[in-house]
Amino acid sequence: EHLGLGVGWGGVNRSGRCEGVDSPTDRASLRLSFPLHASSAFLPTTGIVQGQATVKKILENGSEFRTLHLGFPAGSLEGAQVGASVAINGTCLTIVSVDAAAGELAFDVIGETLDKTNLGDLQEGHVANFERAARIGDEIGGHTVSGHIHTKGFIREVERTEQNVRYQVEVPPGWTKYVLPKGFIAVDGISLTVGEVASNTFNLYLIPETLRVTTLGAKEKGSSVNIEIDSQTQTIVDTIECYMRENFDLEKLAKTAAK
């Protein structure tokens, strides 16, 4: 079930054309909407990290497959079963085995995930953020997070004061168009508010509680973080860009704006 905002649908299909915009009349009256998942229908995680899990063992099966065995704090695995989902550093993983007595879960991780996220950097003894899948009726303290990582970022600046920390995070070119000041973003699975945004960087301001509960408290300059942008923001930006490309001479507009 989806809750639509506005009337009509604007999107980008596989051919790169704007879905639902097929004629000059349609283009002139384009109305944007995007899927807004109702909490009663779709709520993977909320970006409120529940604690840190410790890497107990890593089983290698070539360069493209690993099984991660993680130890969890006491009381955090109630009801955990094979096939359920847990976000590890914001990455949605499927439980493949449960050792309730030892407080451990195992997850299979394939090459694409190892390459595109910082799970490939984990070693025995390292810690990672975790959040169990949200349940119907749970309080939503953050924002809807799918667990599908878009890209990796790297911490380029660290400024520590007595009460908080500022991180400047750099992301690959093309991603900051989806990152808005005072908007939200998931960083290593943590729902955070964006500070200032520059060309390929954005700032995060972290309170002591976030630093205490999550792995961000131990991050240093050069550390990698998993980034999941807001899917609704991505849909709006991509749809508007598509519409502008098909209906305006963007090069001419850019030259006019530069004068």
Side-chain angles (χ1 to χ4, degrees):
E1 180 183 355
H2 294 88
L3 301 179
L5 297 188
V7 181
W9 167 254
V12 182
N13 64 22
R14 292 184 180 179
S15 67
R17 290 185 57 81
C18 298
E19 288 283 11
V21 187
D22 298 323
S23 69
T25 302
D26 291 336
R27 292 176 186 140
S29 61
L30 177 66
R31 292 168 294 180
L32 299 179
S33 71
F34 50 88
L36 177 63
H37 297 288
S39 61
S40 60
F42 177 75
L43 190 61
T45 58
T46 67
I48 303 301
V49 167
Q50 295 165 334
Q52 300 178 40
T54 303
V55 180
K56 296 296 187 179
K57 182 170 57 176
I58 300 177
L59 299 181
E60 301 274 358
N61 188 0
S63 61
E64 298 295 312
F65 190 92
R66 294 178 189 172
T67 300
L68 302 178
H69 290 257
L70 304 181
F72 291 77
S76 60
L77 297 185
E78 181 181 354
Q81 57 187 348
V82 172
S85 297
V86 180
I88 302 298
N89 276 354
T91 309
C92 183
L93 299 180
T94 300
I95 300 173
V96 297
S97 72
V98 178
D99 186 341
E104 294 186 12
L105 301 177
F107 307 89
D108 288 339
V109 187
I110 61 175
E112 176 72 6
T113 303
L114 294 170
D115 180 58
K116 294 297 190 294
T117 75
N118 61 15
L119 298 188
D121 301 330
L122 292 178
Q123 300 176 19
E124 291 185 13
H126 284 186
V127 292
N129 297 323
F130 77 88
E131 182 185 355
R132 300 275 303 275
R135 295 173 295 183
I136 295 173
D138 285 352
E139 179 181 8
I140 306 172
H143 71 279
T144 301
V145 179
S146 70
H148 300 162
I149 303 302
H150 289 98
T151 188
K152 277 195 297 188
F154 292 89
I155 296 174
R156 294 310 185 200
E157 291 183 10
V158 178
E159 180 183 0
R160 301 184 186 274
T161 64
E162 183 177 353
Q163 296 298 330
N164 59 55
V165 173
R166 178 185 68 85
Y167 286 152
Q168 183 187 78
V169 180
E170 181 180 17
V171 292
W175 286 105
T176 47
K177 66 182 179 181
Y178 305 116
V179 182
L180 307 179
K182 301 301 181 283
F184 41 69
I185 193 168
V187 178
D188 272 355
I190 309 161
S191 177
L192 296 171
T193 302
V194 178
E196 301 84 2
V197 180
S199 57
N200 290 321
T201 64
F202 60 90
N203 285 333
L204 299 172
Y205 295 88
L206 307 176
I207 63 173
E209 179 67 7
T210 302
L211 299 172
R212 181 185 70 82
V213 174
T214 75
T215 60
L216 289 185
K219 295 287 186 180
E220 300 290 346
K221 183 177 180 179
S223 297
S224 65
V225 289
N226 293 330
I227 303 294
E228 181 185 333
I229 61 173
D230 174 45
S231 60
Q232 297 172 10
T233 302
Q234 184 181 27
T235 298
I236 294 171
V237 171
D238 287 347
T239 300
I240 292 175
E241 283 190 343
C242 179
Y243 177 76
M244 294 292 289
R245 284 195 306 270
E246 293 194 356
N247 292 277
F248 297 94
D249 185 338
L250 297 184
E251 184 176 349
K252 182 178 179 180
L253 288 175
K255 290 180 178 179
T256 302
K259 291 182 180 180

